[in-house]
Coordinates of all heavy atoms in Angstrom, one line a residue:
M1 N -30.6 -18.3 17.9 CA -29.2 -18.7 18.0 C -28.7 -18.1 19.4 O -29.1 -17.0 19.7 CB -28.4 -18.1 16.9 CG -28.6 -18.8 15.6 SD -27.4 -18.1 14.4 CE -26.5 -19.5 14.0
S2 N -27.8 -18.8 19.9 CA -27.3 -18.4 21.2 C -26.1 -17.4 21.1 O -25.6 -17.3 20.0 CB -26.9 -19.6 22.1 OG -25.7 -20.2 21.5
S3 N -25.8 -16.8 22.1 CA -24.7 -15.9 22.1 C -23.4 -16.6 21.8 O -22.5 -16.0 21.1 CB -24.6 -15.3 23.5 OG -23.4 -14.6 23.7
Q4 N -23.2 -17.8 22.2 CA -22.0 -18.6 21.8 C -21.9 -18.8 20.3 O -20.8 -18.8 19.8 CB -22.0 -19.9 22.6 CG -21.5 -19.9 24.0 CD -21.4 -21.2 24.6 OE1 -22.2 -22.1 24.3 NE2 -20.3 -21.4 25.4
N5 N -23.0 -19.1 19.7 CA -23.0 -19.3 18.3 C -22.6 -18.1 17.5 O -21.8 -18.1 16.6 CB -24.4 -19.8 17.8 CG -24.7 -21.2 18.2 OD1 -23.8 -22.0 18.5 ND2 -26.0 -21.6 18.1
W6 N -23.1 -16.9 18.0 CA -22.8 -15.7 17.3 C -21.3 -15.4 17.5 O -20.6 -14.9 16.6 CB -23.6 -14.5 17.8 CG -25.0 -14.5 17.3 CD1 -26.1 -14.7 17.9 CD2 -25.3 -14.3 15.9 NE1 -27.2 -14.7 17.1 CE2 -26.7 -14.4 15.8 CE3 -24.6 -14.0 14.7 CZ2 -27.4 -14.2 14.6 CZ3 -25.3 -13.9 13.6 CH2 -26.7 -14.0 13.5
T7 N -20.8 -15.7 18.7 CA -19.4 -15.4 19.0 C -18.5 -16.4 18.1 O -17.5 -15.9 17.5 CB -19.1 -15.7 20.5 OG1 -19.9 -14.9 21.3 CG2 -17.6 -15.4 20.8
F8 N -18.9 -17.6 17.9 CA -18.2 -18.6 17.1 C -18.2 -18.1 15.6 O -17.2 -18.1 15.0 CB -18.9 -19.9 17.2 CG -18.3 -21.0 16.4 CD1 -17.1 -21.6 16.8 CD2 -18.9 -21.4 15.2 CE1 -16.5 -22.6 16.0 CE2 -18.4 -22.4 14.4 CZ -17.2 -23.0 14.8
I9 N -19.4 -17.7 15.2 CA -19.5 -17.2 13.8 C -18.6 -15.9 13.6 O -17.9 -15.8 12.6 CB -21.0 -16.9 13.4 CG1 -21.7 -18.3 13.4 CG2 -21.1 -16.2 12.1 CD1 -23.2 -18.1 13.2
A10 N -18.7 -15.0 14.5 CA -17.9 -13.8 14.4 C -16.4 -14.1 14.4 O -15.7 -13.5 13.6 CB -18.3 -12.8 15.5
H11 N -16.0 -15.0 15.2 CA -14.6 -15.4 15.3 C -14.2 -16.0 13.9 O -13.1 -15.7 13.4 CB -14.4 -16.4 16.4 CG -13.0 -16.9 16.5 ND1 -12.0 -16.1 17.0 CD2 -12.5 -18.1 16.3 CE1 -10.9 -16.8 17.0 NE2 -11.1 -18.0 16.6
H12 N -15.0 -16.9 13.3 CA -14.6 -17.5 12.0 C -14.6 -16.4 10.9 O -13.8 -16.5 10.0 CB -15.6 -18.6 11.7 CG -15.2 -19.9 12.4 ND1 -14.0 -20.6 12.1 CD2 -15.7 -20.5 13.5 CE1 -13.9 -21.6 12.9 NE2 -15.0 -21.6 13.8
I13 N -15.5 -15.5 11.0 CA -15.5 -14.4 10.0 C -14.3 -13.6 10.1 O -13.6 -13.3 9.1 CB -16.8 -13.6 10.1 CG1 -18.0 -14.3 9.7 CG2 -16.7 -12.3 9.3 CD1 -19.3 -13.6 9.9
T14 N -13.9 -13.3 11.3 CA -12.6 -12.6 11.5 C -11.4 -13.3 11.0 O -10.6 -12.7 10.4 CB -12.5 -12.3 13.0 OG1 -13.6 -11.6 13.5 CG2 -11.2 -11.4 13.3
I15 N -11.4 -14.6 11.2 CA -10.3 -15.4 10.7 C -10.3 -15.4 9.2 O -9.2 -15.3 8.6 CB -10.4 -16.9 11.3 CG1 -10.1 -16.9 12.8 CG2 -9.4 -17.8 10.6 CD1 -10.3 -18.2 13.5
L16 N -11.4 -15.6 8.6 CA -11.5 -15.6 7.1 C -11.1 -14.3 6.5 O -10.3 -14.2 5.6 CB -12.9 -15.9 6.6 CG -13.4 -17.4 6.8 CD1 -14.8 -17.5 6.4 CD2 -12.5 -18.3 6.0
M17 N -11.5 -13.2 7.2 CA -11.1 -11.9 6.7 C -9.6 -11.7 6.8 O -8.9 -11.1 6.0 CB -11.9 -10.8 7.4 CG -13.4 -10.8 7.0 SD -14.3 -9.6 7.9 CE -13.7 -8.1 7.2
S18 N -9.1 -12.2 7.9 CA -7.6 -12.1 8.1 C -6.9 -12.9 7.1 O -5.8 -12.4 6.6 CB -7.3 -12.5 9.5 OG -5.9 -12.5 9.7
E19 N -7.3 -14.1 6.8 CA -6.7 -14.9 5.8 C -6.8 -14.2 4.4 O -5.8 -14.3 3.6 CB -7.3 -16.3 5.7 CG -7.0 -17.1 6.9 CD -7.8 -18.5 6.9 OE1 -8.6 -18.7 6.0 OE2 -7.5 -19.3 7.8
Q20 N -7.9 -13.6 4.1 CA -8.0 -12.9 2.8 C -7.1 -11.7 2.8 O -6.4 -11.5 1.7 CB -9.5 -12.4 2.6 CG -10.5 -13.5 2.3 CD -11.9 -13.0 2.2 OE1 -12.2 -11.9 2.7 NE2 -12.8 -13.8 1.7
A21 N -6.9 -11.0 3.8 CA -6.0 -9.9 3.9 C -4.6 -10.4 3.7 O -3.8 -9.7 3.0 CB -6.2 -9.1 5.2
Q22 N -4.2 -11.5 4.3 CA -2.9 -12.0 4.2 C -2.6 -12.4 2.8 O -1.5 -12.2 2.2 CB -2.7 -13.2 5.1 CG -2.6 -12.8 6.6 CD -1.4 -12.0 6.9 OE1 -0.3 -12.2 6.3 NE2 -1.5 -11.1 7.9
T23 N -3.6 -13.0 2.1 CA -3.5 -13.5 0.7 C -3.3 -12.2 -0.2 O -2.4 -12.3 -1.0 CB -4.8 -14.2 0.3 OG1 -4.9 -15.3 1.2 CG2 -4.6 -14.7 -1.1
K24 N -4.1 -11.2 0.0 CA -3.9 -10.0 -0.8 C -2.6 -9.4 -0.5 O -1.9 -8.9 -1.5 CB -5.0 -9.0 -0.4 CG -6.4 -9.3 -1.0 CD -7.4 -8.2 -0.6 CE -8.8 -8.5 -1.2 NZ -9.7 -7.5 -0.9
K25 N -2.1 -9.3 0.7 CA -0.8 -8.8 1.0 C 0.3 -9.6 0.3 O 1.2 -9.0 -0.3 CB -0.6 -8.7 2.5 CG 0.7 -8.2 2.9 CD 0.9 -8.2 4.4 CE 2.3 -7.8 4.8 NZ 2.7 -8.1 6.2
H26 N 0.2 -10.9 0.4 CA 1.2 -11.7 -0.2 C 1.2 -11.5 -1.7 O 2.3 -11.4 -2.4 CB 0.9 -13.2 0.1 CG 2.0 -14.1 -0.4 ND1 3.3 -14.1 0.0 CD2 1.8 -15.1 -1.3 CE1 3.9 -15.1 -0.7 NE2 3.1 -15.7 -1.5
R27 N 0.1 -11.4 -2.4 CA -0.1 -11.2 -3.8 C 0.5 -9.9 -4.2 O 1.3 -9.8 -5.2 CB -1.5 -11.3 -4.2 CG -1.7 -11.3 -5.7 CD -3.1 -11.5 -6.2 NE -4.0 -12.2 -5.2 CZ -5.2 -11.9 -5.0 NH1 -5.8 -10.9 -5.6 NH2 -5.9 -12.6 -4.1
A28 N 0.3 -8.8 -3.4 CA 0.8 -7.5 -3.7 C 2.3 -7.5 -3.5 O 3.0 -6.9 -4.3 CB 0.2 -6.5 -2.7
E29 N 2.8 -8.2 -2.5 CA 4.3 -8.2 -2.3 C 5.0 -8.9 -3.5 O 6.0 -8.5 -4.0 CB 4.6 -8.9 -1.0 CG 4.3 -8.1 0.2 CD 4.5 -8.8 1.5 OE1 4.6 -10.1 1.5 OE2 4.6 -8.2 2.6
K30 N 4.4 -10.0 -4.0 CA 4.9 -10.7 -5.1 C 4.9 -9.8 -6.4 O 5.9 -9.8 -7.1 CB 4.1 -12.0 -5.4 CG 4.5 -13.2 -4.5 CD 3.6 -14.4 -4.7 CE 3.5 -14.8 -6.1 NZ 2.7 -16.1 -6.3
L31 N 3.8 -9.1 -6.6 CA 3.7 -8.2 -7.7 C 4.7 -7.1 -7.6 O 5.4 -6.8 -8.6 CB 2.3 -7.7 -7.9 CG 2.1 -6.7 -9.0 CD1 2.3 -7.4 -10.3 CD2 0.6 -6.2 -8.9
L32 N 4.9 -6.5 -6.5 CA 5.9 -5.5 -6.2 C 7.3 -6.0 -6.5 O 8.1 -5.3 -7.1 CB 5.8 -4.9 -4.8 CG 6.7 -3.8 -4.5 CD1 6.4 -2.6 -5.4 CD2 6.5 -3.3 -3.1
A33 N 7.6 -7.2 -6.0 CA 8.9 -7.8 -6.2 C 9.2 -8.0 -7.7 O 10.3 -7.7 -8.2 CB 9.1 -9.1 -5.5
K34 N 8.2 -8.4 -8.5 CA 8.3 -8.6 -9.9 C 8.5 -7.3 -10.6 O 9.4 -7.2 -11.5 CB 7.0 -9.3 -10.4 CG 7.0 -9.6 -11.9 CD 5.7 -10.2 -12.4 CE 5.7 -10.4 -13.9 NZ 4.5 -11.0 -14.3
I35 N 7.8 -6.3 -10.2 CA 8.0 -4.9 -10.8 C 9.4 -4.4 -10.5 O 10.1 -3.9 -11.4 CB 6.9 -4.0 -10.4 CG1 5.5 -4.4 -10.9 CG2 7.2 -2.5 -10.7 CD1 4.4 -3.7 -10.4
E36 N 9.8 -4.5 -9.3 CA 11.1 -4.0 -8.9 C 12.2 -4.7 -9.6 O 13.2 -4.1 -9.9 CB 11.3 -4.1 -7.4 CG 10.5 -3.0 -6.6 CD 10.6 -3.2 -5.1 OE1 11.1 -4.3 -4.6 OE2 10.3 -2.2 -4.4
S37 N 12.1 -6.0 -9.8 CA 13.1 -6.8 -10.5 C 13.2 -6.4 -11.9 O 14.3 -6.5 -12.5 CB 12.9 -8.3 -10.3 OG 11.8 -8.7 -11.0
S38 N 12.1 -6.0 -12.5 CA 12.2 -5.6 -14.0 C 12.6 -4.2 -14.2 O 12.9 -3.8 -15.3 CB 10.8 -5.8 -14.6 OG 9.8 -4.9 -14.1
M39 N 12.7 -3.4 -13.1 CA 13.1 -2.0 -13.3 C 14.6 -1.9 -13.5 O 15.3 -2.6 -12.8 CB 12.7 -1.2 -12.0 CG 11.2 -1.0 -11.9 SD 10.8 -0.1 -10.4 CE 11.5 1.5 -10.7
V40 N 15.0 -1.2 -14.5 CA 16.4 -1.0 -14.8 C 16.8 0.4 -14.3 O 16.2 1.4 -14.7 CB 16.6 -1.1 -16.3 CG1 18.1 -0.9 -16.6 CG2 16.2 -2.5 -16.8
P41 N 17.8 0.5 -13.5 CA 18.2 1.8 -13.0 C 18.7 2.6 -14.1 O 19.3 2.1 -15.0 CB 19.2 1.5 -11.9 CG 19.7 0.2 -12.2 CD 18.6 -0.6 -12.9
A42 N 18.5 3.9 -14.1 CA 19.0 4.8 -15.1 C 20.5 4.9 -15.0 O 21.0 4.7 -13.9 CB 18.3 6.2 -14.9
G43 N 21.1 5.3 -16.1 CA 22.5 5.4 -16.1 C 22.9 6.6 -15.2 O 22.1 7.4 -14.8
P44 N 24.2 6.6 -14.9 CA 24.6 7.7 -14.0 C 24.4 9.1 -14.7 O 24.6 9.2 -15.8 CB 26.1 7.4 -13.8 CG 26.5 6.6 -15.0 CD 25.3 5.8 -15.4
D45 N 23.9 10.0 -13.9 CA 23.7 11.3 -14.4 C 25.0 12.0 -14.6 O 25.8 12.0 -13.7 CB 22.8 12.1 -13.4 CG 21.4 11.7 -13.4 OD1 21.0 11.1 -14.4 OD2 20.7 12.0 -12.4
Y46 N 25.1 12.6 -15.8 CA 26.3 13.4 -16.0 C 26.0 14.8 -15.7 O 24.8 15.2 -15.9 CB 26.9 13.2 -17.4 CG 26.0 13.6 -18.5 CD1 26.0 14.9 -19.0 CD2 25.1 12.7 -19.0 CE1 25.1 15.2 -20.0 CE2 24.2 13.0 -20.0 CZ 24.2 14.3 -20.5 OH 23.4 14.7 -21.5
D47 N 26.9 15.6 -15.2 CA 26.7 16.9 -14.8 C 26.4 17.8 -16.0 O 27.2 17.9 -16.9 CB 27.8 17.5 -14.0 CG 27.6 18.8 -13.4 OD1 26.4 19.2 -13.4 OD2 28.5 19.4 -12.8
Q48 N 25.2 18.4 -16.0 CA 24.8 19.2 -17.2 C 25.7 20.5 -17.2 O 25.7 21.2 -18.2 CB 23.3 19.6 -17.1 CG 22.4 18.4 -17.2 CD 22.3 17.9 -18.6 OE1 22.6 18.6 -19.6 NE2 22.0 16.6 -18.8
E49 N 26.3 20.9 -16.1 CA 27.0 22.1 -16.1 C 28.4 22.0 -16.7 O 29.0 23.0 -17.0 CB 27.1 22.6 -14.6 CG 25.8 22.9 -13.9 CD 25.1 24.1 -14.6 OE1 25.8 25.1 -14.9 OE2 23.9 24.0 -14.7
T50 N 28.9 20.8 -16.8 CA 30.3 20.7 -17.4 C 30.2 20.7 -18.9 O 29.2 20.4 -19.5 CB 30.9 19.4 -16.9 OG1 30.1 18.3 -17.4 CG2 31.1 19.3 -15.4
I51 N 31.3 21.2 -19.5 CA 31.3 21.2 -20.9 C 32.4 20.2 -21.4 O 33.3 19.9 -20.7 CB 31.6 22.6 -21.4 CG1 33.0 23.1 -20.9 CG2 30.5 23.6 -21.1 CD1 33.4 24.5 -21.5
T52 N 32.2 19.8 -22.7 CA 33.1 18.8 -23.2 C 34.3 19.5 -23.7 O 34.4 20.8 -23.8 CB 32.5 18.1 -24.4 OG1 32.2 19.0 -25.4 CG2 31.2 17.4 -24.0
D53 N 35.4 18.8 -24.0 CA 36.6 19.4 -24.5 C 36.4 20.1 -25.8 O 36.9 21.2 -26.1 CB 37.7 18.3 -24.7 CG 38.2 17.8 -23.4 OD1 38.1 18.5 -22.4 OD2 38.8 16.7 -23.4
E54 N 35.5 19.6 -26.7 CA 35.2 20.2 -27.9 C 34.5 21.5 -27.7 O 34.9 22.5 -28.4 CB 34.3 19.3 -28.8 CG 33.9 19.8 -30.1 CD 33.0 18.9 -30.9 OE1 32.6 17.8 -30.4 OE2 32.6 19.3 -32.0
E55 N 33.6 21.6 -26.8 CA 32.9 22.9 -26.5 C 33.9 23.9 -25.9 O 33.9 25.1 -26.3 CB 31.8 22.6 -25.5 CG 30.6 21.9 -26.1 CD 29.6 21.5 -25.0 OE1 30.0 21.2 -23.9 OE2 28.4 21.5 -25.4
R56 N 34.8 23.4 -25.1 CA 35.8 24.3 -24.5 C 36.7 24.9 -25.5 O 36.9 26.2 -25.5 CB 36.6 23.6 -23.4 CG 37.6 24.4 -22.7 CD 38.4 23.6 -21.7 NE 39.1 22.5 -22.3 CZ 40.2 22.5 -23.1 NH1 40.8 23.7 -23.3 NH2 40.7 21.4 -23.6
V57 N 37.1 24.1 -26.5 CA 38.0 24.6 -27.6 C 37.2 25.6 -28.4 O 37.7 26.7 -28.8 CB 38.5 23.5 -28.4 CG1 39.1 24.0 -29.7 CG2 39.4 22.6 -27.6
M58 N 35.9 25.3 -28.7 CA 35.2 26.3 -29.6 C 34.9 27.6 -28.8 O 35.0 28.7 -29.4 CB 33.8 25.6 -30.0 CG 34.0 24.4 -30.9 SD 35.0 24.8 -32.4 CE 34.0 26.1 -33.2
F59 N 34.5 27.5 -27.5 CA 34.3 28.7 -26.8 C 35.6 29.6 -26.7 O 35.6 30.8 -26.8 CB 33.8 28.4 -25.4 CG 32.4 28.0 -25.3 CD1 32.0 26.9 -24.5 CD2 31.4 28.7 -26.0 CE1 30.7 26.5 -24.5 CE2 30.1 28.4 -26.0 CZ 29.7 27.3 -25.2
R60 N 36.8 28.9 -26.6 CA 38.0 29.6 -26.5 C 38.3 30.3 -27.9 O 38.7 31.5 -27.9 CB 39.2 28.7 -26.2 CG 40.5 29.4 -26.0 CD 41.5 28.4 -25.5 NE 42.7 29.0 -25.0 CZ 43.6 29.6 -25.8 NH1 43.5 29.6 -27.1 NH2 44.7 30.2 -25.3
K61 N 38.0 29.6 -29.0 CA 38.2 30.2 -30.3 C 37.3 31.5 -30.5 O 37.7 32.5 -30.9 CB 37.9 29.2 -31.4 CG 39.0 28.2 -31.6 CD 38.7 27.3 -32.8 CE 39.7 26.3 -33.0 NZ 39.3 25.4 -34.1
V62 N 36.1 31.3 -30.1 CA 35.1 32.4 -30.2 C 35.6 33.6 -29.3 O 35.5 34.7 -29.7 CB 33.7 32.0 -29.8 CG1 32.7 33.2 -29.7 CG2 33.1 31.0 -30.9
G63 N 36.0 33.3 -28.1 CA 36.5 34.3 -27.2 C 37.7 35.0 -27.7 O 37.8 36.3 -27.5
L64 N 38.6 34.3 -28.3 CA 39.8 35.0 -28.9 C 39.5 35.9 -30.0 O 40.2 36.9 -30.3 CB 40.8 33.9 -29.2 CG 41.5 33.2 -28.1 CD1 42.4 32.1 -28.6 CD2 42.2 34.1 -27.2
R65 N 38.4 35.6 -30.8 CA 38.0 36.4 -31.9 C 37.3 37.7 -31.5 O 37.2 38.6 -32.3 CB 37.1 35.6 -32.9 CG 37.9 34.6 -33.7 CD 37.0 34.0 -34.8 NE 35.9 33.3 -34.1 CZ 35.1 32.5 -34.7 NH1 35.2 32.2 -35.9 NH2 34.2 31.9 -34.0
M66 N 36.8 37.7 -30.3 CA 36.0 38.8 -29.9 C 36.9 40.0 -29.5 O 38.1 39.8 -29.2 CB 35.2 38.5 -28.6 CG 34.1 37.4 -28.8 SD 33.3 36.9 -27.3 CE 32.5 38.4 -26.8
K67 N 36.4 41.2 -29.6 CA 37.1 42.4 -29.3 C 37.3 42.4 -27.7 O 36.4 41.9 -27.0 CB 36.3 43.6 -29.7 CG 36.2 43.7 -31.2 CD 35.4 45.0 -31.6 CE 35.3 45.0 -33.1 NZ 34.5 46.2 -33.5
P68 N 38.4 42.9 -27.3 CA 38.7 42.9 -25.8 C 37.9 43.9 -25.0 O 38.4 44.3 -23.9 CB 40.2 43.1 -25.8 CG 40.5 43.9 -27.0 CD 39.5 43.5 -28.0
Y69 N 36.8 44.4 -25.5 CA 36.0 45.4 -24.7 C 34.6 45.1 -24.9 O 34.2 44.5 -25.8 CB 36.4 46.8 -25.0 CG 36.0 47.2 -26.4 CD1 34.7 47.8 -26.7 CD2 36.8 47.0 -27.5 CE1 34.3 48.1 -28.0 CE2 36.4 47.3 -28.8 CZ 35.2 47.9 -29.0 OH 34.8 48.2 -30.3
L70 N 33.8 45.6 -24.0 CA 32.3 45.5 -24.0 C 31.7 46.9 -24.0 O 31.8 47.6 -23.0 CB 31.8 44.7 -22.8 CG 30.4 44.5 -22.7 CD1 29.8 43.7 -23.9 CD2 30.0 43.8 -21.4
P71 N 31.2 47.3 -25.1 CA 30.5 48.6 -25.2 C 29.3 48.7 -24.3 O 28.4 47.8 -24.4 CB 30.2 48.8 -26.6 CG 30.1 47.5 -27.2 CD 31.0 46.6 -26.4
L72 N 29.2 49.7 -23.5 CA 28.0 49.9 -22.6 C 27.2 51.1 -23.1 O 27.8 52.1 -23.4 CB 28.4 50.0 -21.2 CG 29.1 48.8 -20.5 CD1 29.6 49.2 -19.1 CD2 28.2 47.6 -20.5
G73 N 26.0 51.0 -23.2 CA 25.2 52.1 -23.6 C 25.2 52.3 -25.1 O 25.4 51.4 -25.8
E74 N 25.0 53.5 -25.6 CA 25.0 53.8 -27.0 C 26.2 54.3 -27.5 O 27.0 55.0 -27.2 CB 23.8 54.7 -27.3 CG 22.5 54.0 -27.1 CD 21.4 54.9 -27.6 OE1 21.5 55.6 -28.6 OE2 20.4 55.0 -26.8

């Protein structure tokens, strides 16, 4: 085989590999789009540090029942 034939074959192999890569890329993009469309965003995060009105009322009641001092030591 001549040098031209090898160049021709190498060129076609390169084209085929490029087409296969494009096909794989297109398939991956379609799959990713499908996955992204099916994903449901989580609800808004509520702040874990805040307390509800019910908790606030209960903490106030407990606080009012406590003695107004804190014994330290024995």
Side-chain angles (χ1 to χ4, degrees):
M1 289 187 118
S2 70
S3 168
Q4 275 187 325
N5 286 342
W6 283 113
T7 305
F8 179 75
I9 292 171
H11 179 68
H12 280 289
I13 289 173
T14 304
I15 290 173
L16 288 175
M17 290 176 72
S18 175
E19 288 174 357
Q20 288 175 346
Q22 289 293 330
T23 303
K24 285 182 179 181
K25 179 182 173 192
H26 182 66
R27 190 177 330 142
E29 286 173 345
K30 282 176 50 177
L31 181 61
L32 182 61
K34 181 179 176 182
I35 291 170
E36 285 178 343
S37 68
S38 68
M39 292 177 66
V40 177
D45 286 342
Y46 61 92
D47 190 7
Q48 295 286 336
E49 297 295 321
T50 59
I51 60 174
T52 63
D53 288 336
E54 181 181 359
E55 290 171 325
R56 184 180 53 77
V57 169
M58 292 307 298
F59 285 134
R60 187 172 191 288
K61 283 183 183 179
V62 169
L64 290 175
R65 284 189 299 196
M66 293 174 66
K67 295 180 182 176
Y69 67 91
L70 178 65
L72 299 175
E74 291 187 41

